[in-house]
Amino acid sequence: MEPIRQYSAETIAQLEDRWQQYWDHHQTYVAPKTSDKPKYYVLDMFPYPSGAGLHVGHPLGYIASDILARFKRLQGYNVLHPMGFDAFGLPAEQYAIQTGTHPAITTERNIQTFLGQMRRLGLGHDPTTQLRTSDPGFYRWTQWVFLRLFGAWYNQAADRAEPIETLVGHFERQGSAGVDAHADPHDPFTAQEWLAWDEPSRQRLLLHYRLAYLSYDFVNWCPALGTVLANEEVKDGVSERGGHPVERIRMRQWALRITAYAEKLLRGLDTIDWPDSIKEQQRNWIGRSVGARIRFNVQGQPEAVVEVFTTRPDTVFGATFLVLAPEHPLVESLVTAEAALTAQPYIAWASNRTERERSAEKEVSGVFTGSYAVHPFTGAPLPIWVADYVLVGYGTGAIMAVPGHDERDWAFATRFGLPICEVVVGGDLAQGAYSTKEGTLINSDFLDRLAVPEAIARAIGELEARGLGEGRTTYRLRDAVFSRQRYWGEPFPIVYREGLPYGVPDDELPVTLPEVESYQPTGQAESPLAAVTDWVERPDGSVRETNTMPGWAGSSWYFFRYFDTGNDSALAGPERLKYWAPVDFYIGGAEHAVGHLLYARFWTHFLYDLGHVPVAEFARRLVNQGMIQGVSQMVYKERNANVFVSADSLAAGTAYIEIHCDVHLVQGEVLNLEGFRAWRPEYAQAQFVVSADGKFRTRPQVEKMSKSKYNVVNPDTLCDQYGADTFRMYEMFLGPLEASKPWDTQGITGVHGFLRRFWRLFYDEAGQWRVQDAEPTPAMLKQLHQTLKKVADDCERLSFNTAVAQFMITVNELTKLGCQHRAVLEPLVVCLSPFAPHLAEELWRALGHTTSIVHAQYPTVEERYLVEAEFEYPISVNGKVRAKLLLPLDLPAQAVEAQVLALEEVQRWMGGSAPKKVVVVPGRIVNVVV
RNA sequence: GCGGACGUGGCGUAAUUGGUAGCCGCGCCAGACUUAGGAUCUGGUCCUGAAAGGGGUGGGGGUUCGAGUCCCUUCGUCCGCACCA
């Protein structure tokens, strides 16, 4: 291979291409899947291969993980750094509906674009691990996991999931007595009854327990997308994808009993190194609240019992009325004939309002049902109201209103003239409700004079003793709706016989996605698969489930598949799982906080319970890379004329239209007028009012990077111009990895200049090799080892921006020192290689090495070169470090002592007196004793 | 409203985690070269001052010999959650 001697635009392209080919050809990044070396697993959140390709914001995380992977490899780890694709998803399907192109074709096309762009960046992913969630060989195991969920129940006594067989065994021996499960309620039964039941009855009952089960409940139905959505996919009452309105309707759907894992998901957060904000979001989402359920009988309706949840059972004597959500199942029977006239319209109106309308509403609204509940302790009649500030989905969908100590209840009581009763001392009711936990109880019979915490315990004890309720922990987390009425997703491995679901045998997996004539949903809540009758109807008379799994199914476990992508007897081989799990470093966007990241934890906990994977938490450390925002460039056009005015010359009285112009036409807020004229035909003849200096200025504006704002900067063009190494280093140099920051193309020249100057250390301007074997000077060695140390530290703490800065300092310094010494430059190239792998490979080869620098060893930091000519002596007074004294390194202990004694400041702390004793210890701490 | 993160030059940022604030880069200024350029190289660039010096990390207060860093308070920005009983 002929060495490249110049580092210029033409040769950079040649150089980078050459090494990319070399890496492909030599399979440089394939990790041995088992090894004696310690492992390090670096994982990116795999992308959905959208049609738009990558913009400069996307590669930030990929570059960071690539640098870390390369760095860890240099440190001697066996590094797995894979890349796959989250290939099922709505955009490909919607494109298919419009064009008839099979989603698999568009998806594969997009994947190839992504792969090309990633290769161009020099990302060293293990090429043997390129999985796709839409590949039958992969989704076979997604279906397999689903079957395990379907075939499992949550044993609360053992605090883990177990195969459903253990439950059936219990039923056969003891009936439902003694089962402590996370399950839907049902009537108790005996072993005899169970044994007497027919198969459908047993199956129907088991659905109450299965961790994947059919539910008939309120779901988020999105008419525009033609599918249901999980709570995590709905934001502010509209779909996260597309922003379409979402309705709450009752439908039969598959759901996963994630609520069984609420407590484990909460506790597991304490064992993992994830960002606080993500942990906090997950805690909020799980929404644990401790309190009690209380049952209220209804006057004149012995069969009706209103159960409420409260976190403040101590305030039960302050309850003056009950409120039910409009959708509460008891509402219908509680509305009396007299009240119906006013109540019915309100209930109908409130139930039909969207979540969004309801939460936007500030006005208190509600209606009296005409019925009264009986206070469990006083027997007082409490009017039962219906109001939409009570949500059907939380707690029991009913509350006891304590207007004295809950703001919403107070507002409601005030609005409708209901009584307000003070039961906790600690505030002023004239100012409104107060919900202090500091006060003591009054007007509360047996709770009087107790402090709130004791009162809560006492109230729960009393409720339980009298059978009126019990202590209870409630979670905001809902079971996850798991079916979608779409084509482009994993088919369920489920068939129905007599309307009851059965899992297909494992040896029938994968249940492959059939071809369809139309990708259009076939009607209200039905997947396009329903139309494929010869697929749906099976010879034995059973029919297939026609929904498909949601987008997050495959992403909930894919990180285990990279260990063993070809395995067709298990999701991954046990010894590989044992070696590689968990992920050591996971990087991706913060937007997945309560979606993917929660589901993936849930699936991992589940698989761990069943012994299929060796870890309960899949990712030890998580980092969210910041978003790179676009910087739009705005130009101002007079409203009524084809006249553009420079942004610093706008006239006060004139009306202007703000127009996004292509950011590539702007250099440092100055518009390239010729380019702008040529950009749009209608601007060719426009007039331009320029600033005093003759320049036409734009106004920058930070916003999301988007095609419509003409602020998208494509990494490919920057790689063409400066090379991938420059691009990689510049993305890192931009700022801290986790911070969001606006893209600024201008600064890239600084990094590019650094790489050129670095090259100059090896080749002079004429392309002559200048590296010598001479002995480097101490100053050079100091510079080298400082850099080796700083860069290693910075890589450990992911401070890549400061590492890049350190490289720049070094190259400036070594240039000044005239360094051309192999002993300095060779280690430096290794140190730089994670950041600029192409350039490093080239120089490594020029230094005479015949193997890839990827497998080199990170140079040893020799501390002796780092010690300063002067040393900071920490001075401790009676053991507490009080000061540091800068003294020459070789100063004898006595001299240090003398210096300390002479230090006026030390005497000042001593209160004017000289220290009794000064001890200089070998660790160079100076102890001063008074 | 609740929770989290943060506030440093014209800009992106750095500061050995309590020890000389402003590293590195952009931009800007000056100079060199020059086939005048959006190239390259050199030097300068927090404020004030002729200098010595003084001031300075959103504002105010505190702890400390010493605070960008810790504590209290206030203002502001960003993010998340939000009728959660």
Side-chain angles (χ1 to χ4, degrees):
Chain A
M1 215 187 292
E2 195 54 32
I4 290 171
R5 296 170 172 280
Q6 303 280 351
Y7 198 67
S8 63
E10 309 83 62
T11 57
I12 289 169
Q14 188 194 342
L15 182 157
E16 293 188 346
D17 185 56
R18 160 200 281 196
W19 289 106
Q20 283 159 14
Q21 282 184 28
Y22 176 95
W23 296 327
D24 286 349
H25 185 250
H26 289 83
Q27 299 272 291
T28 306
Y29 300 110
V30 177
K33 294 302 178 293
T34 52
S35 164
D36 295 335
K37 284 201 222 171
K39 64 95 185 183
Y40 199 85
Y41 182 12
V42 180
L43 184 65
D44 297 276
M45 289 187 193
F46 63 168
Y48 173 77
S50 83
L54 300 175
H55 63 60
V56 291
H58 294 119
L60 187 72
Y62 302 152
I63 295 169
S65 61
D66 192 55
I67 291 172
L68 188 69
R70 288 170 184 276
F71 172 70
K72 287 285 170 187
R73 201 176 284 120
L74 293 177
Q75 283 192 322
Y77 289 92
N78 184 24
V79 172
L80 179 61
H81 185 214
M83 179 56 74
F85 294 92
D86 191 11
F88 277 131
L90 210 47
E93 178 160 348
Q94 281 171 330
Y95 186 76
I97 292 170
Q98 287 160 22
T99 65
T101 316
H102 196 287
I105 295 171
T106 9
T107 304
E108 191 54 35
R109 197 158 60 207
N110 294 345
I111 286 175
Q112 290 310 323
T113 310
F114 270 59
L115 286 172
Q117 286 188 295
M118 290 178 180
R119 182 178 183 275
R120 182 81 180 79
L121 292 171
L123 299 177
H125 297 128
D126 183 336
T128 62
T129 59
Q130 273 183 16
L131 59 81
R132 280 127 230 237
T133 52
S134 60
D135 181 348
F138 179 88
Y139 70 65
R140 165 184 184 167
W141 295 103
T142 310
Q143 292 171 336
W144 182 88
V145 177
F146 177 83
L147 285 177
R148 302 285 87 69
L149 284 159
F150 181 69
W153 66 295
Y154 199 87
N155 183 346
Q156 292 197 134
D159 199 21
R160 60 153 195 262
E162 291 180 3
I164 202 87
E165 288 75 24
T166 66
L167 181 68
V168 172
H170 186 104
F171 287 162
E172 284 167 356
R173 289 189 308 276
Q174 300 168 47
S176 62
V179 172
D180 184 8
H182 190 99
D184 299 328
H186 61 81
D187 293 330
F189 55 85
T190 63
Q192 287 75 19
E193 285 172 308
W194 169 265
L195 292 167
W197 284 349
D198 59 7
E199 183 62 17
S201 303
R202 291 179 186 174
Q203 287 302 329
R204 233 184 309 275
L205 189 107
L206 288 176
L207 276 177
H208 290 76
Y209 288 84
R210 295 180 184 279
L211 294 184
Y213 64 100
L214 278 171
S215 77
Y216 181 75
D217 206 345
F218 284 98
V219 294
N220 306 300
W221 168 254
C222 178
L225 296 176
T227 186
V228 299
L229 299 170
N231 290 347
E232 290 78 356
E233 295 170 300
V234 180
K235 289 249 153 72
D236 299 326
V238 298
S239 67
E240 198 175 26
R241 202 176 269 279
H244 305 292
V246 170
E247 299 166 9
R248 288 194 66 81
I249 60 170
R250 255 179 210 277
M251 273 173 76
R252 199 179 77 147
Q253 294 294 329
W254 283 100
L256 301 187
R257 219 177 285 278
I258 188 173
T259 47
Y261 280 88
E263 201 57 43
K264 277 191 176 176
L265 291 172
L266 217 43
R267 282 203 310 262
L269 289 174
D270 298 330
T271 68
I272 50 182
D273 180 14
W274 286 22
D276 289 338
S277 67
I278 298 281
K279 287 187 180 184
E280 204 50 38
Q281 280 183 63
Q282 293 208 349
R283 285 193 193 102
N284 285 343
W285 190 260
I286 294 167
R288 182 178 198 264
S289 50
V290 181
R293 288 204 176 180
I294 306 177
R295 284 182 285 279
F296 289 78
N297 291 316
V298 180
Q299 273 186 355
Q301 291 199 48
E303 72 289 351
V305 175
V306 179
E307 196 175 19
V308 305
F309 174 75
T310 177
T311 55
R312 296 292 301 273
D314 57 312
T315 62
V316 63
F317 288 94
T320 54
F321 56 101
L322 300 189
V323 188
L324 270 56
E327 299 91 340
H328 194 287
L330 279 176
V331 165
E332 204 176 331
S333 59
L334 290 175
V335 174
T336 60
E338 307 85 73
L341 203 62
T342 48
Q344 296 293 10
Y346 174 78
I347 293 164
W349 172 79
S351 319
N352 282 333
R353 294 216 300 169
T354 63
E355 291 255 316
R356 198 186 191 128
E357 286 169 334
R358 279 209 210 178
S359 55
E361 182 68 74
K362 296 278 177 285
E363 193 84 356
V364 189
S365 70
V367 74
F368 179 45
T369 59
S371 295
Y372 289 85
V374 183
H375 193 285
F377 294 119
T378 67
L382 306 176
I384 302 175
W385 286 66
V386 173
D388 67 0
Y389 81 90
V390 176
L391 308 175
V392 72
Y394 185 76
T396 59
I399 62 159
M400 64 171 197
V402 184
H405 306 289
D406 181 283
E407 277 181 44
R408 290 153 304 161
D409 297 345
W410 192 86
F412 196 81
T414 311
R415 167 76 175 75
F416 294 105
L418 293 157
I420 297 171
C421 172
E422 183 175 30
V423 289
V424 183
V425 182
D428 180 8
L429 269 195
Q431 308 284 315
Y434 56 89
S435 52
T436 177
K437 284 193 160 188
E438 306 289 295
T440 48
L441 277 285
I442 52 164
N443 301 329
S444 295
D445 192 359
F446 57 85
L447 298 175
D448 279 349
R449 287 182 305 281
L450 291 176
V452 169
E454 289 92 76
I456 290 175
R458 179 74 201 278
I460 292 174
E462 208 64 33
L463 286 166
E464 287 176 353
R466 302 191 196 183
L468 299 166
E470 55 276 316
R472 196 64 172 261
T473 300
T474 294
Y475 300 89
R476 202 184 74 110
L477 183 71
R478 303 285 85 199
D479 279 346
V481 176
F482 195 66
S483 34
R484 299 292 182 270
Q485 293 68 45
R486 294 186 196 159
Y487 171 72
W488 191 230
E490 299 88 345
F492 280 81
I494 290 288
V495 295
Y496 292 90
R497 280 191 283 276
E498 299 174 50
L500 285 168
Y502 294 85
V504 306
D506 284 352
D507 59 20
E508 280 183 36
L509 299 181
V511 176
T512 50
L513 199 52
E515 297 299 318
V516 291
E517 309 243 322
S518 159
Y519 304 100
Q520 200 77 41
T522 47
Q524 170 90 351
E526 252 202 337
S527 145
L529 292 179
V532 193
T533 36
D534 59 346
W535 181 79
V536 174
E537 291 170 9
R538 309 216 310 160
D540 64 358
S542 61
V543 293
R544 288 190 189 278
E545 169 64 62
T546 59
N547 282 330
T548 54
M549 298 187 196
W552 47 270
S555 62
S556 295
W557 73 278
Y558 75 106
F559 31 84
F560 293 126
R561 186 64 178 172
Y562 285 126
F563 309 151
D564 208 356
T565 40
N567 195 322
D568 57 4
S569 62
L571 51 85
E575 63 298 325
R576 294 197 181 189
L577 279 163
K578 198 157 179 293
Y579 177 68
W580 285 108
V583 178
D584 293 288
F585 178 82
Y586 195 28
I587 184 163
E591 66 273 18
H592 299 107
V594 293
H596 159 61
L597 289 171
L598 195 61
Y599 294 130
R601 292 185 59 222
F602 163 42
W603 280 40
T604 307
H605 271 278
F606 167 73
L607 290 169
Y608 176 71
D609 277 356
L610 263 56
H612 297 303
V613 300
V615 291
E617 291 290 344
F618 76 96
R620 193 171 278 159
R621 183 176 182 197
L622 171 74
V623 166
N624 298 123
Q625 86 275 24
M627 292 235 289
I628 293 197
Q629 291 128 327
V631 179
S632 307
Q633 295 293 344
M634 316 306 293
V635 295
Y636 295 86
K637 181 182 164 297
E638 285 184 17
R639 186 169 291 281
N640 302 314
N642 201 8
V643 173
F644 289 85
V645 181
S646 182
D648 57 4
S649 308
L650 300 181
T654 319
Y656 295 102
I657 305 171
E658 206 179 44
I659 297 169
H660 282 90
C661 91
D662 192 321
V663 291
H664 297 95
L665 299 171
V666 179
Q667 181 88 25
E669 293 175 34
V670 176
L671 182 65
N672 168 358
L673 287 181
E674 267 152 62
F676 187 70
R677 281 204 186 90
W679 186 49
R680 287 284 137 80
E682 64 266 36
Y683 302 154
Q685 299 305 316
Q687 286 188 298
F688 295 89
V689 178
V690 297
S691 312
D693 58 2
K695 289 175 176 166
F696 187 95
R697 291 208 164 69
T698 56
R699 184 166 292 167
Q701 191 173 321
V702 174
E703 43 194 0
K704 206 172 173 229
M705 216 172 255
S706 126
K707 259 186 186 166
S708 63
K709 299 187 175 97
Y710 303 105
N711 60 3
V712 175
V713 181
N714 187 301
D716 294 340
T717 55
L718 290 167
C719 284
D720 289 344
Q721 218 174 334
Y722 301 101
D725 289 335
T726 297
F727 179 74
R728 290 166 60 104
M729 292 197 85
Y730 184 54
E731 285 242 342
M732 294 301 103
F733 183 66
L734 225 41
L737 182 57
E738 299 185 53
S740 288
K741 51 237 158 188
W743 177 258
D744 168 29
T745 302
Q746 263 188 36
I748 200 168
T749 55
V751 174
H752 190 58
F754 152 73
L755 285 176
R756 274 207 322 269
R757 288 198 298 280
F758 189 84
W759 188 268
R760 281 264 178 284
L761 293 171
F762 294 80
Y763 289 103
D764 67 17
E765 276 166 61
Q768 277 304 310
W769 184 248
R770 55 189 296 277
V771 178
Q772 306 292 324
D773 281 330
E775 189 65 24
T777 65
M780 292 174 191
L781 287 169
K782 183 180 158 191
Q783 194 58 46
L784 167 69
H785 287 277
Q786 259 177 8
T787 302
L788 293 176
K789 186 167 165 51
K790 174 93 170 109
V791 170
D793 287 352
D794 286 347
C795 285
E796 290 298 347
R797 56 193 188 101
L798 304 177
S799 180
F800 297 125
N801 54 329
T802 54
V804 175
Q806 180 63 34
F807 281 121
M808 294 189 180
I809 294 167
T810 299
V811 83
N812 289 345
E813 206 53 42
L814 292 180
T815 305
K816 265 185 216 155
L817 294 170
C819 178
Q820 51 185 61
H821 302 71
R822 170 181 283 267
V824 172
L825 296 177
E826 192 169 283
L828 211 52
V829 172
V830 177
C831 180
L832 181 70
S833 68
F835 294 82
H838 308 87
L839 171 139
E841 284 279 22
E842 182 64 37
L843 294 174
W844 187 246
R845 178 62 52 120
L847 284 162
H849 298 272
T850 51
T851 55
S852 168
I853 195 168
V854 168
H855 301 295
Q857 231 191 352
Y858 195 82
T860 315
V861 180
E862 303 217 26
E863 302 276 348
R864 68 197 157 103
Y865 294 121
L866 295 178
V867 286
E868 298 283 343
E870 297 184 306
F871 193 85
E872 272 188 342
Y873 291 79
I875 300 175
S876 100
V877 177
N878 291 341
K880 189 190 166 206
V881 173
R882 299 291 295 269
K884 282 175 189 167
L885 188 60
L886 202 65
L887 295 172
L889 183 63
D890 304 323
L891 212 59
Q894 295 90 332
V896 176
E897 245 177 73
Q899 285 282 341
V900 174
L901 287 166
L903 199 65
E904 282 176 39
E905 252 179 331
V906 173
Q907 299 203 4
R908 249 208 332 279
W909 313 326
M910 304 284 121
S913 61
K916 270 184 194 154
K917 197 174 154 197
V918 176
V919 187
V920 181
V921 293
R924 292 206 190 83
I925 288 185
V926 184
N927 283 309
V928 178
V929 182
V930 182

